[in-house]
Amino acid sequence: MLSKPNWVLVTGGAGYIGSHTVVELIENGYKCVVVDNLCNSSYESIARLQVLTKTEIPFFQVDLTDEEGVSKIFQQYPIDSVIHFAGLKAVGESTSIPLKYYHNNIVGTLVLLETMRKFGTKKLVFSSSATVYGDATRFSDMIPIPEECPTQPTNPYGKTKLAIEEILTDLHASEPEKWKFAVLRYFNPIGAHPSGLIGEDPLGIPNNLLPYMAQVAVKRREKLFIFGNDYDSRDGTPIRDYIHVVDLARGHIASLKYLDQIGGGQGICRAWNLGSGTGSTVIEVYKAFCLACGIELPFEVVGRRTGDVLNLTAKPDRATKELQWKTEMCVADACKDLWNWTTGNPFGYQIMGVVDTFFNVPGDYGSRLITVGRGSGFEASFTNVGATLVDLNVNGKSVVIGLANEAEYLDESNPYLGTTIGRYANRIYDGSFTLEGTKVQLALNEKNATLHSSLQSFHKQRFLGPLVVNLNKNEYTVKYILVDKGTQFPGDVVVSVTYGINIKLQTLTVEYEGHLTKGPATVMNLTNHSYFNLNMFQNSSCDGTKFNILSDKVLEIDLNGKPTGKFVSPGNASKFILSPSGPHFDTCFVTDAEATIDTRTNDLKPVLTAQHPLSGLKLTILTTEPSFQFYNKGPGYIKHHGERFGFCCEPERFINAVNVNEWRDSVILKQGEVYGSRIVYKFE
Ligand code: NAD
């Protein structure tokens, strides 16, 4: 049972174990806020978590030693409990810069606890470590290691963990009925999320066996070093208790639930080992990873490392009995998931050719400008507001009109430049339709129609993500998610916008996918509203652009500008050169593609070519959609630019389809159905 409100502050949530725990928290109905100073992680993990969980995750780049910064988080969110991962964790480094470790880990925790006290937050789960036990083989009867094993850390890192455990014990003792502390002593976390989207991304040379082997496998490092094969074990190498990071993350949910169910004015401060209870040698893990990646990795046995001990295996019985938690995955599972993560992300969250900057204000990670293909001759830039295409640069020439920052995109005078149009693109006449017997009335933003959804349209909303993936040396995808609920439209939906960038073929693909998540059937019609100008490099109008529209039908329009439902010949509108005297269009051309709710099963067809003699650039637009609106008129429609500065081609469903029997099914989205469509912009 979740307590209400169920907000959990995850400190260090951008890091390895924290990010995996955020997924489990969200899956278990908790709401997460993450604080991290990103000293050993990157915001990319949070952007990916948002796409993976389809959930907004408020993020604060704050150092835990910053009292004011931490207080602001508690002021903004009703934090019910804290999972405290934030800390420096490299054993070797802690021996050379101990003061930094003591300051960061201990002062950070003191500030956190003081803030919790101030705001009345009483529950905390703390990331401790098996390191607090030191060398348990100093006792004859302490392997596997129980929680009762006397502590004796042998390095500054382990000492900071023990010091924090003691601080928690003392604080609990001062008000035993108030504080609820779960101290989790982890053994060796390994692996990655099975989705392959998040994993361990160590900065510098990895300290741990598995990340090191993964880097050898992708040839970032030459070979593995095995530190000593003369231990008293099965094969002479040391024994450790490896635990899949997802199992470990679930241990946090189990302990949070345990704390939640302690009632009646009682507190607790108790330690639990999180381990599998099974020890594996270095050679055994090496073999398991070689099997998972199908490569016989080169290795060299070198001398023992100072501080290493023979055996660190957990006795996890207390967690099994009290938290009802035990590991479910084995070393082989972790190796498989680690290899999946490594092959998809050989340089972790860093991707060659991808750069990002803040698009709103520095530090606001909800709005970034992501550029893909940097230095390749085909660069595309996107931002979260409207999942907008801000710039497309072909051979050094910008070919779409973009704005400088988020505020300009939110300005009422922005004519949807480059943005995603939804939930319903183009016009719904009288702004009304009937669905499942219920009449829906939308706000009108034209005399007799709702255009591009009027209020709450997608172009003003911040999308989640993006998830940027480098598929191979020429291809990237940039995926945004929007959770659209509680609007003037019936039903809640989740929409993804995935841009595909092929720097070799010089193509930009846009793929839309929509699902109804809650409520009755709804309507959907999505498109991109980029204004192209193949002559923009001269800061000039697009006059002179030579068009070939590959369609022999347009939608007939009546005297009120409303489609009659009939298709008619475009006359001489198929081939033309734009000039100040025309032609001017706001016309719906018909492709011969089938109008269904998911048009991605249709072939991609070229529907328009445009070429400008001065730039020499040629654009071909392909789509799976049954129609496209071609638009190039309207005085002053682009702020700061003249009316002849761009043209728009919006592949989509037929205008007003929801009110026309033959087309209705292509825009009505029901439970269990998937909305889909695809557009390609190809340059030569
Ligand atoms: P990680 O470095 O990936 O994550 C820790 C996160 O905390 C990082 O994102 C870092 O940027 C952040 N951080 C550090 N100091 C901070 C500060 N002062 N303010 C705000 N953010 C700060 O490490 P991880 O492997 O995910 O480990 C998480 C926790 O678990 C750590 O406390 C670690 O000591 C503990 N632990 C880890 C292991 C392991 O093998 N990974 C084993 C036992 C215990």
Side-chain angles (χ1 to χ4, degrees):
M1 195 184 64
L2 291 181
S3 60
K4 294 213 185 315
N6 51 7
W7 281 97
V8 181
L9 176 67
V10 184
T11 79
Y16 174 44
I17 307 168
S19 57
H20 287 79
T21 303
V22 168
V23 178
E24 300 303 316
L25 282 167
I26 291 172
E27 280 181 6
N28 279 274
Y30 292 95
K31 294 175 184 163
C32 297
V33 184
V34 169
V35 55
D36 199 303
N37 64 4
L38 302 181
C39 69
N40 195 37
S41 51
S42 90
Y43 178 77
E44 287 315 312
S45 64
I46 303 292
R48 288 180 174 212
L49 283 174
Q50 303 208 38
V51 174
L52 182 64
T53 60
K54 299 183 174 55
T55 305
E56 188 182 352
I57 301 164
F59 173 77
F60 292 84
Q61 186 175 0
V62 167
D63 192 298
L64 276 195
T65 60
D66 166 7
E67 277 181 55
E68 207 186 315
V70 177
S71 267
K72 277 190 185 147
I73 305 170
F74 281 78
Q75 272 157 18
Q76 265 181 268
Y77 290 91
I79 306 295
D80 179 58
S81 37
V82 177
I83 305 188
H84 180 31
F85 295 101
L88 297 174
K89 65 164 185 179
V91 170
E93 189 184 58
S94 77
T95 59
S96 47
I97 46 168
L99 289 183
K100 192 166 174 195
Y101 271 68
Y102 281 107
H103 182 81
N104 187 75
N105 293 4
I106 295 178
V107 177
T109 306
L110 289 175
V111 169
L112 177 67
L113 290 169
E114 188 55 48
T115 315
M116 287 174 65
R117 199 184 57 72
K118 214 163 80 192
F119 285 85
T121 304
K122 303 178 197 94
K123 276 176 278 172
L124 178 125
V125 177
F126 172 58
S127 297
S128 190
S129 166
T131 321
V132 296
Y133 297 118
D135 180 5
T137 56
R138 67 189 186 279
F139 304 105
S140 57
D141 56 349
M142 288 289 174
I143 300 290
I145 308 172
E147 287 82 356
E148 294 78 17
C149 177
T151 51
Q152 196 181 87
T154 55
N155 53 65
Y157 163 69
K159 288 177 189 167
T160 67
K161 290 289 173 195
L162 185 58
I164 294 168
E165 287 196 12
E166 285 167 354
I167 291 168
L168 295 177
T169 308
D170 291 344
L171 185 58
H172 169 254
S174 71
E175 290 172 296
E177 74 295 341
K178 178 174 170 187
W179 295 100
K180 296 178 184 176
F181 296 137
V183 170
L184 304 181
R185 294 176 179 159
Y186 313 155
F187 281 68
N188 287 51
I190 55 168
H193 195 263
S195 65
L197 297 185
I198 54 168
E200 191 168 7
D201 183 19
L203 300 177
I205 302 171
N207 288 307
N208 296 334
L209 175 62
L210 268 294
Y212 199 102
M213 279 198 289
Q215 294 197 359
V216 174
V218 291
K219 301 201 166 22
R220 279 176 71 180
R221 315 227 163 252
E222 189 195 341
K223 60 184 166 189
L224 171 71
F225 294 100
I226 293 178
F227 300 104
N229 62 356
D230 54 353
Y231 288 89
D232 184 16
S233 71
R234 299 182 278 280
D235 53 30
T237 58
I239 299 166
R240 296 288 176 271
D241 186 335
Y242 295 95
I243 163 173
H244 195 299
V245 64
V246 172
D247 273 333
L248 181 61
R250 290 178 182 153
H252 294 75
I253 313 302
S255 56
L256 205 53
K257 286 186 173 164
Y258 183 84
L259 295 187
D260 274 338
Q261 51 87 45
I262 297 173
Q266 281 177 41
I268 189 171
C269 179
R270 190 159 170 79
W272 288 274
N273 283 339
L274 294 187
S276 70
T278 306
S280 306
T281 68
V282 172
I283 294 283
E284 284 163 357
V285 175
Y286 163 80
K287 285 183 179 160
F289 188 68
C290 289
L291 198 66
C293 67
I295 307 170
E296 194 77 11
L297 298 175
F299 74 90
E300 185 186 337
V301 179
V302 293
R304 287 185 182 201
R305 212 167 34 174
T306 19
D308 275 354
V309 297
L310 165 66
N311 194 339
L312 282 177
T313 302
K315 187 163 193 268
D317 301 19
R318 188 187 278 184
T320 309
K321 191 162 160 251
E322 296 176 359
L323 307 181
Q324 267 97 56
W325 170 91
K326 62 180 175 46
T327 57
E328 282 163 16
M329 287 172 271
C330 61
V331 168
D333 296 325
C335 289
K336 184 169 116 284
D337 290 334
L338 172 63
W339 184 233
N340 184 32
W341 154 252
T342 309
T343 47
N345 309 273
F347 291 88
Y349 293 113
Q350 306 305 313
I351 300 181
M352 292 265 284
V354 178
V355 286
D356 70 292
T357 52
F358 293 111
F359 199 50
N360 187 27
V361 291
D364 180 358
Y365 283 91
S367 184
R368 293 183 302 154
L369 184 71
I370 306 281
T371 300
V372 171
R374 178 54 55 89
S376 72
F378 192 75
E379 291 183 15
S381 301
F382 310 95
T383 196
N384 295 75
V385 181
T388 296
L389 173 65
V390 174
D391 189 29
L392 185 60
N393 193 294
V394 186
N395 306 334
K397 301 178 180 91
S398 277
V399 295
V400 292
I401 303 171
L403 298 172
N405 53 47
E406 187 182 89
E408 290 191 11
Y409 279 97
L410 293 174
D411 188 316
E412 289 300 329
S413 62
N414 164 33
Y416 312 100
L417 292 175
T419 69
T420 307
I421 305 293
R423 188 183 299 190
Y424 198 99
N426 216 317
R427 291 178 177 86
I428 296 177
Y429 285 94
D430 301 324
S432 69
F433 54 90
T434 301
L435 260 188
E436 296 179 345
T438 306
K439 183 171 176 195
V440 178
Q441 179 64 57
L442 306 173
L444 301 182
N445 55 342
E446 284 190 344
K447 201 170 99 225
N448 61 347
T450 298
L451 173 67
H452 296 332
S453 307
S454 71
L455 303 173
Q456 302 158 324
S457 67
F458 285 4
H459 83 288
K460 287 194 172 178
Q461 297 194 44
R462 278 185 176 185
F463 282 59
L464 303 176
L467 162 65
V468 184
V469 178
N470 191 189
L471 300 173
N472 55 51
K473 90 179 194 306
N474 297 318
E475 286 182 277
Y476 302 86
T477 56
V478 177
K479 180 175 184 174
Y480 289 95
I481 296 281
L482 183 69
V483 179
D484 190 47
K485 54 184 180 184
T487 70
Q488 58 181 342
F489 289 99
D492 297 346
V493 297
V494 171
V495 166
S496 67
V497 179
T498 307
Y499 291 100
I501 301 95
N502 189 317
I503 57 174
K504 190 167 175 214
L505 299 178
Q506 301 208 311
T507 56
L508 173 69
T509 304
V510 198
E511 180 162 333
Y512 298 102
E513 191 171 294
H515 297 262
L516 179 66
T517 50
K518 199 172 149 200
T522 190
V523 290
M524 191 168 280
N525 185 16
L526 306 175
T527 191
N528 179 276
H529 207 282
S530 288
Y531 283 81
F532 292 92
N533 181 344
L534 304 178
N535 192 28
M536 199 160 63
F537 73 110
Q538 303 214 95
N539 197 26
S540 181
S541 86
C542 55
D543 287 329
T545 308
K546 203 169 138 191
F547 283 89
N548 190 2
I549 295 191
L550 307 167
S551 161
D552 57 4
K553 293 185 256 329
V554 295
L555 264 192
E556 188 184 58
I557 302 290
D558 69 15
L559 289 176
N560 297 319
K562 199 168 166 179
T564 62
K566 280 195 214 146
F567 298 154
V568 294
S569 159
N572 59 1
S574 292
K575 287 192 179 177
F576 52 88
I577 296 176
L578 282 187
S579 76
S581 58
H584 292 139
F585 290 95
D586 189 0
T587 306
C588 179
F589 287 86
V590 180
T591 76
D592 283 323
E594 204 183 334
T596 56
I597 191 72
D598 188 351
T599 64
R600 289 172 298 178
T601 48
N602 294 336
D603 289 339
L604 267 171
K605 272 195 197 158
V607 294
L608 176 151
T609 67
Q611 193 161 21
H612 200 283
L614 292 179
S615 66
L617 286 173
K618 180 179 176 193
L619 162 67
T620 305
I621 299 182
L622 303 93
T623 186
T624 57
E625 289 289 272
S627 73
F628 61 97
Q629 190 82 8
F630 184 69
Y631 179 63
N632 77 326
K633 68 173 183 183
Y637 62 78
I638 303 165
K639 203 178 180 183
H640 311 308
H641 299 295
E643 68 170 286
R644 311 216 46 78
F645 212 77
F647 62 89
C648 213
C649 169
E650 308 151 47
E652 59 203 358
R653 310 288 145 97
F654 292 113
I655 302 178
N656 201 31
V658 66
N659 289 316
V660 179
N661 278 342
E662 303 91 283
W663 304 332
R664 249 170 96 77
D665 286 350
S666 70
V667 290
I668 295 177
L669 181 63
K670 301 182 186 129
Q671 284 287 356
E673 286 183 348
V674 182
Y675 175 96
S677 69
R678 205 172 277 135
I679 306 169
V680 177
Y681 309 108
K682 178 171 173 45
F683 291 85
E684 292 162 79

